[in-house]
Amino acid sequence: MDMSLFVRYGPQILVGLKYTVVIWVIGSIFAILLGFLLGFALSFGNRSMALLLRGYVEFFRGTPLLAQLFLLYYGGPSVGITLDASTVGLLGLGLYGSAYFAEIFRAGFASIPRSQFEAAASFGIPKLAQLRYVTLPQIFVLVIPPSTNLLIVLLKDTAVLSILTVPELTFQVTGMTIETFVFIEPFVALAAVYWTLTELVAFLGRRLEVRVGRYLQP
Amino acid sequence: MTQIADAEAALPAEPDLIEVSHLSKWYGTHQVLKDVSFAVKPSEVVCIIGPSGSGKSTLLRCVNFLEDFQQGSVTVRGKTVDYTTWRSGEGARDMRSNINQIRREVAMVFQQFNLWPHMTVLENVAQPLVLVHGNDRRQARERALHMLEKVGLTAKADEYPIRLSGGQQQRVGIARALAVEPAAILFDEPTSSLDPELVGEVLQVMKGLAREGMTMVVVTHEMHFAAEVADRVIFLDDGAKAEEGVPSEILLNSRNERTRRFLQTWVERNSLFGENSLRSAQK
């Protein structure tokens, strides 16, 4: 195995890693925020709004990420939206992820038993305070396992952005293999890097789950 | 002597704390409560008994509007919520404000306890004080601790509800209700989801409250409790009030066919006329 290859391409790989992490972090935050709003509106909004948002969720869940990215990147300019590849990648990942987060949060809202709100209502606790003190603290615990799962999926899905020429990790490593005709080592290393990152996310998710979910353990 | 008697006679009749008047409720076309009226005076303990599905819990839940109804009214300490007029569209805002005020004055204890699982025992008791009654955190904490002492659960203050037995959870439920200094407490089958050996500790706490003069409306299947503690018993049958009176009258000498039949099945199940008969439970 030729390690000098990695030394020579080291700086490029680090740039790629930076792009991957930044796009994943910002895209995920965007996805979580939008997904929360969508999940909330799907749970409590009126019928016509819920129907509209349901259409949004179904589209982004039901079509490939790559197709959505192409639509945004190549179709965008024809409706006056011209964005560079990285922005499209970030935005695309966020929109795509938000559809899944919407479902995670919707399920979270649905899983809190009515009886808990009845108890709150019986004391005259207002609706907004019920949301703040009864619903949200539990939602944030309940959504941790599925959210960890989704964040791992989104992290791996950033690799798709290489097709749009976003200079992220997979793009850099692919370029390296084309230049050097060495394939095995770079792709093994690439897989190892993704795996390390996803294990880290999984570990943090489990830690958080145990920490804030103490009330669920008898 | 006569002077005292005169003074008593001169006192105005004690006003009702809770008054339910001609309450009717439908699910679709099916009428589940039929023109039910009853009143509760301060410090009274009223037990509502009746067969399963007779509408006891639904009636109780109407008193603090966890269920809505279509006709009739509920009045608590002079605040009235009249669904008959609300239905015709008048004074919706006043109604809502009255509902909120009544809920502040009438606390509830639930069959399934309905504690908030993500809060410690102490937080469960303190939360309504902070959110509704304007206590600061420290005040609420102190009062909550005091209430937990009252139900014998000081040691569990920092535990989460999931670690408590059903009986302990229900005592927390009672402490939570007591903490807001309610004018009355509604008990919705407070012992029905408890293992038999845990029923006693909850009834013990409730008896203590009754002795202290707490106004209580209790939906229950515990006939011994009704016989021993209630000032009045209401027998509900198929959504209608079939009978109302002092426990000895209803539980032992009812003239109502339905009441007698209901109590008969209960007697057979619990061999009521052994050592612990209702008669000996009578105060």
Side-chain angles (χ1 to χ4, degrees):
Chain A
M1 188 166 141
D2 188 1
M3 291 305 290
S4 67
L5 204 65
F6 291 105
V7 178
R8 190 147 44 96
Y9 280 90
Q12 260 176 277
I13 291 170
L14 282 180
V15 169
L17 187 62
K18 195 186 81 180
Y19 268 90
T20 294
V21 170
V22 168
I23 288 177
W24 172 68
V25 168
I26 299 178
S28 295
I29 291 172
F30 176 51
I32 290 171
L33 294 178
L34 185 58
F36 176 79
L37 292 177
L38 287 166
F40 186 84
L42 282 169
S43 305
F44 304 111
N46 63 35
R47 264 180 103 88
S48 50
M49 177 152 84
L51 203 68
L52 196 73
L53 298 179
R54 174 57 45 199
Y56 170 94
V57 169
E58 292 304 323
F59 172 78
F60 280 99
R61 249 185 0 165
T63 57
L65 174 61
L66 187 59
Q68 294 165 18
L69 292 169
F70 279 153
L71 263 178
L72 203 58
Y73 192 48
Y74 297 113
S78 63
V79 290
I81 308 168
T82 308
L83 301 166
D84 66 82
S86 294
T87 313
V88 166
L90 198 153
L91 201 62
L93 198 69
L95 293 172
Y96 177 71
S98 74
Y100 288 91
F101 273 115
E103 283 298 289
I104 289 175
F105 282 111
R106 191 190 56 75
F109 282 115
S111 69
I112 304 208
R114 226 174 67 121
S115 57
Q116 289 188 36
F117 303 112
E118 286 188 348
S122 78
F123 286 101
I125 295 175
K127 276 267 189 306
L128 207 63
Q130 290 181 27
L131 183 70
R132 164 71 184 79
Y133 293 97
V134 176
T135 312
L136 293 185
Q138 295 189 72
I139 296 274
F140 287 134
V141 176
L142 291 168
V143 301
I144 290 171
S147 296
T148 306
N149 196 34
L150 179 52
L151 288 173
I152 287 172
V153 170
L154 291 179
L155 178 56
K156 292 185 299 173
D157 277 355
T158 54
V160 174
L161 305 185
S162 64
I163 299 170
L164 291 188
T165 70
V166 176
E168 48 70 69
L169 196 60
T170 302
F171 180 81
Q172 303 288 4
V173 171
T174 312
M176 179 177 152
T177 60
I178 290 166
E179 284 171 30
T180 60
F181 296 101
V182 181
F183 293 94
I184 307 291
E185 290 94 335
F187 280 124
V188 169
L190 181 68
V193 172
Y194 279 113
W195 197 5
T196 307
L197 288 174
T198 54
E199 283 300 331
L200 188 68
V201 176
F203 171 75
L204 291 175
R206 275 194 301 272
R207 280 281 300 268
L208 189 65
E209 190 184 329
V210 170
R211 212 187 144 105
V212 299
R214 267 188 311 140
Y215 73 85
L216 293 167
Q217 282 127 37
Chain B
M1 286 299 277
T2 37
Q3 260 177 332
I4 293 169
D6 284 349
E8 273 177 359
L11 281 173
E14 205 169 7
D16 294 325
L17 181 59
I18 299 173
E19 191 193 348
V20 172
S21 175
H22 300 289
L23 191 152
S24 290
K25 176 179 173 67
W26 284 263
Y27 286 127
T29 55
H30 175 58
Q31 189 169 6
V32 290
L33 290 174
K34 298 168 182 167
D35 198 39
V36 179
S37 299
F38 67 93
V40 183
K41 297 221 182 287
S43 294
E44 250 189 333
V45 176
V46 174
C47 284
I48 303 175
I49 62 169
S52 297
S54 58
K56 309 181 294 288
S57 285
T58 309
L59 175 62
L60 192 75
R61 289 161 56 85
C62 284
V63 174
N64 65 356
F65 316 100
L66 290 183
E67 300 279 348
D68 64 358
F69 43 94
Q70 283 71 40
Q71 280 176 21
S73 67
V74 170
T75 304
V76 174
R77 279 195 170 165
K79 303 252 169 0
T80 298
V81 172
D82 188 336
Y83 270 76
T84 316
T85 54
W86 190 353
R87 291 290 142 190
S88 61
E90 284 163 39
R93 187 179 299 162
D94 287 348
M95 290 299 171
R96 251 175 270 279
S97 139
N98 281 358
I99 284 178
N100 277 325
Q101 289 188 41
I102 288 175
R103 281 176 171 175
R104 279 157 186 252
E105 301 215 30
V106 178
M108 191 165 205
V109 172
F110 296 87
Q111 183 177 356
Q112 302 289 343
F113 331 129
N114 296 12
L115 300 179
W116 298 300
H118 59 298
M119 298 181 200
T120 64
V121 163
L122 184 80
E123 288 165 346
N124 263 280
V125 180
Q127 197 61 267
L129 291 170
V130 175
L131 293 180
V132 182
H133 298 268
N135 283 203
D136 64 36
R137 296 249 152 228
R138 205 182 48 81
Q139 277 178 312
R141 216 190 121 77
E142 270 170 24
R143 179 148 181 82
L145 273 174
H146 182 58
M147 291 302 121
L148 288 175
E149 197 184 328
K150 206 167 165 141
V151 297
L153 285 172
T154 318
K156 301 284 183 189
D158 294 321
E159 292 277 13
Y160 287 105
I162 199 169
R163 303 206 174 197
L164 272 56
S165 73
Q168 291 170 332
Q169 289 193 46
Q170 191 58 295
R171 278 146 66 199
V172 175
I174 294 173
R176 179 173 67 172
L178 275 178
V180 299
E181 295 185 318
I185 302 183
L186 311 176
F187 291 84
D188 185 8
E189 301 200 31
T191 58
S192 293
S193 55
L194 297 178
D195 293 337
E197 75 269 22
L198 301 177
V199 169
E201 60 186 83
V202 171
L203 291 183
Q204 212 52 48
V205 170
M206 291 171 65
K207 283 176 195 170
L209 293 182
R211 267 196 304 275
E212 288 171 25
M214 176 56 76
T215 312
M216 297 158 67
V217 185
V218 187
V219 168
T220 188
H221 290 285
E222 299 290 333
M223 296 307 151
H224 280 113
F225 177 82
E228 191 183 332
V229 182
D231 297 298
R232 239 159 353 105
V233 173
I234 292 170
F235 179 72
L236 208 64
D237 183 44
D238 195 24
K241 187 171 85 175
E243 233 188 331
E244 175 175 359
V246 296
S248 56
E249 196 179 302
I250 304 288
L251 298 175
L252 298 172
N253 308 310
S254 175
R255 277 154 308 193
N256 182 297
E257 172 64 19
R258 290 285 313 178
T259 314
R260 290 170 74 115
R261 213 180 318 146
F262 170 70
L263 288 168
Q264 192 54 42
T265 56
W266 199 87
V267 166
E268 281 160 10
R269 231 172 339 114
N270 295 276
S271 57
L272 200 59
F273 294 106
E275 282 275 319
N276 301 315
S277 75
L278 278 184
R279 225 171 273 279
S280 68
Q282 272 294 304
K283 38 185 177 183

